[in-house]
Structures are given as C-alpha cells and as structure tokens.
Amino acid sequence: MSSKLTLGPLFYNWAPEVWRDFYFRIADEAPLDTVCLGEVVCSKRQPFIDPILPEVIERLQAAGKEVVLSTLALIMSRREEDQMRDLCQHAELTVEANDLSAISLLAGKPHVVGPLVNVYNEGTLSYLARNGAIRVSLPGELPATALRALAVAGLVPLEVQVFGRLPLAISARCYHARSRGLHKDSCQYVCAEDPDGMDLDTLDGTPFLAVNGTQTLSYSYVNLAQELPELQRMGIAHFRLAPQHVDMVAVARQFRDLLDGRTDPARAVAQLEVLSDGLPFSNGYYHGTDGVAAVGELAVE
C-alpha cells in the first residue's frame, strides 16, 4: 500500500495574491498527492478567493494533484447553508465534509470526511463508510491505540495529520475581532494581520493556543515524523500536512522522503525544526498524554 501526502485546507486569511502564489508553488514543486482547497473557518473570506479559485484548481490538476473542495466547519446562516448545499450537490470535484450537515447532503456520493468531524469509534466510521465516505481524516486528539483500532477495522481508508497546528474548536464568536474591540459583523478582517494565527498566552505568559478568527488551534505544531513508520505499519496510508506560514514545499519534501525511505525520523525532525522557525513541536495526543507534550525525538534539546 503506497503512502499518500495530503495538504489540508488553509485555515488563515491570506491576501488573495499570496494565497494564489502559495498554491501555484505547491502545484509546481511540492511532492503531494492531494490538495484541499476552500474556506473552512469564515465565509466572509470566501469572496476573496472565489475569483482565483478556478486558475488554482487548473494549475494543481495540471501538475497531477487530486483537488478536494473543503466545506465550512460551522454553518451559521441561511446564506452559508445555501453555499454549502450548492457545493455538495453541484461540485464536479470531490468534496471534504467538515460539518455533519455536509455529510447529510453528500449521502450516497463519494466524498471525504475532514478532521473537524468527530470520529472516535468503529460505529461512526461504519456509518460514514455506508454514507459514501471514501476517506476519513481523523481528529488530531486520538491516541495511537484508537488509531490502531480504527485502522484494523478496515472500514474505509484513514488519514492522520502529521504536521502543523491542530484544529481544536470552532465558535460562533470571532476571537480575533473581540481582541481588537470589534464585533464579528464589523471585524475589518483583522485576522489577516496574523498569517499563522494569533498566539494566546496563559496568565503567566506561557504560549498555549492560537486563535484564527472563530477558530482555536494548538500553539505548537504537531509533528508525527517519528511516528510515521508505526502509522504505516498500522495500515494508515494517507498523511495530512496543515498549511502554515513556513516553507511548505520543503516540509512536504521532508515527509515525502521519510515515507519513501530516503531519510530517517531523526533527520526529518531536525530539518523540520529549522523550517518551523522556532515554533515548538508536540505529539502528546498520539502517546496518550497531554496534547502539548513532546515525546521521544521531539523532547530532545
């Protein structure tokens, strides 16, 4: 079973020209099999990328990459419902559902289930497979024991996020706007000021989480480079990278080399530390401890 690399949807509010050029470079240079596109966090951002979406899709497909269209993670208005319904019912490309209502609309059609949908057991996995899911990207909070049990069930191909900030929660309130004394409806798109998310500290000044509009993410980048061989032995063949404001082409090359046996986990971790510009790594969830924890190679100073 060959291993596949996926680039998940970009969570952040990047300028349209930056967004376009990022994906053009991904198309031309990154050793990826699948690229997810679409606004997952805030529908107010969608009009900025709609005009350039077709050319980005064309560039990615011309480079031989599968393109998947990701839905919003939280539907809050009739307008958003209509947009999601139109995407699920009329998209010519595979759709990734990040909301249960999208899963309902996609019933009977081949689709992907994103990591923002809670899939914790074989019963849920079985339902999703019967509903038409051709791949399920599992939540980042699952430990290895749960991943192994779901993989052994063999109900549908599974995907695990192995790099980048973990999406933890989505809210009706916009934390970014609130931090600037603004309301969600008049946010002035302040989330664009933080292209990798806004760091959130505890009261004693320790970085803890990251905020991206209405979304909460981990402060650290999850990094499962050292766990990749074990994940492959479990039978998991799809691995997801979350786009960050770093050189994602170089990140993708490290994971591709690791999957193909051209490097080892220790060297990959060392190279990823350089690429991540000082952001800490974590793999605690995988090892059944605090998510923020760094275990094994990640804990070596």
Side-chain angles (χ1 to χ4, degrees):
M1 184 187 306
S2 61
S3 296
K4 305 289 187 182
L5 266 184
T6 296
L7 185 69
L10 177 70
F11 292 139
Y12 311 103
N13 185 10
W14 291 3
E17 63 276 9
V18 174
W19 189 92
R20 178 201 60 209
D21 292 348
F22 170 78
Y23 283 109
F24 278 3
R25 183 168 180 244
I26 289 294
D28 297 344
E29 302 178 35
L32 294 159
D33 301 285
T34 300
V35 178
C36 301
L37 298 175
E39 181 52 53
V40 172
V41 176
C42 178
S43 64
K44 291 176 66 176
R45 305 171 182 174
Q46 187 68 40
F48 296 116
I49 64 173
D50 277 344
I52 54 178
L53 188 59
E55 61 180 319
V56 168
I57 292 173
E58 182 179 4
R59 184 78 161 253
L60 288 164
Q61 290 180 323
K65 294 171 172 59
E66 176 195 23
V67 177
V68 172
L69 300 178
S70 298
T71 71
L72 281 171
L74 182 64
I75 307 302
M76 292 294 297
S77 68
R78 178 57 61 87
R79 176 181 58 83
E80 292 175 349
E81 179 187 348
D82 290 343
Q83 288 175 341
M84 185 185 62
R85 188 180 300 276
D86 182 65
L87 175 65
C88 292
Q89 294 179 347
H90 302 116
E92 297 180 359
L93 301 174
T94 302
V95 175
E96 176 179 85
N98 287 300
D99 177 86
L100 289 179
S101 55
I103 288 174
S104 176
L105 291 169
L106 291 164
K109 297 174 62 175
H111 60 275
V112 176
V113 176
L116 295 168
V117 176
N118 292 335
V119 180
Y120 297 145
N121 56 60
E122 296 91 336
T124 302
L125 205 58
S126 177
Y127 167 79
L128 294 173
R130 295 195 307 271
N131 194 60
I134 58 173
R135 185 166 66 251
V136 174
S137 190
L138 295 170
E141 304 97 317
L142 291 180
T145 51
L147 295 175
R148 184 176 293 105
L150 293 174
V152 167
L155 297 167
V156 64
L158 301 178
E159 182 175 84
V160 171
Q161 181 178 327
V162 294
F163 180 84
R165 283 181 158 160
L166 282 176
L168 299 176
I170 198 94
S171 171
R173 287 190 173 188
C174 179
Y175 304 115
H176 245 113
R178 194 176 180 87
S179 73
R180 308 296 201 277
L182 300 169
H183 295 289
K184 182 179 179 181
D185 291 339
S186 55
C187 65
Q188 300 177 26
Y189 300 99
V190 292
C191 53
E193 298 173 8
D194 298 295
D196 210 37
M198 178 179 67
D199 295 345
L200 181 66
D201 296 346
T202 61
L203 292 176
D204 63 2
T206 303
F208 177 51
L209 297 169
V211 165
N212 169 45
T214 60
Q215 184 185 43
T216 304
L217 305 109
S218 64
Y219 169 72
S220 58
Y221 291 175
V222 69
N223 182 350
L224 299 186
Q226 68 176 358
E227 290 77 17
L228 220 54
E230 184 177 39
L231 286 164
Q232 289 177 294
R233 289 192 295 271
M234 288 180 194
I236 295 172
H238 296 264
F239 303 98
R240 176 171 294 220
L241 313 176
Q244 304 294 160
H245 200 246
V246 299
D247 187 346
M248 291 302 301
V249 169
V251 170
R253 287 173 178 162
Q254 285 298 316
F255 278 96
R256 186 75 266 170
D257 286 349
L258 187 54
L259 290 172
D260 293 345
R262 290 189 294 270
T263 189
D264 59 58
R267 283 199 294 265
V269 168
Q271 289 299 312
L272 290 166
E273 285 177 347
V274 174
L275 293 169
S276 296
D277 197 27
L279 260 291
F281 291 144
S282 59
N283 59 359
Y285 282 132
Y286 183 91
H287 294 279
T289 185
D290 298 339
V292 71
V295 179
E297 291 286 344
L298 301 191
V300 177
E301 294 294 336

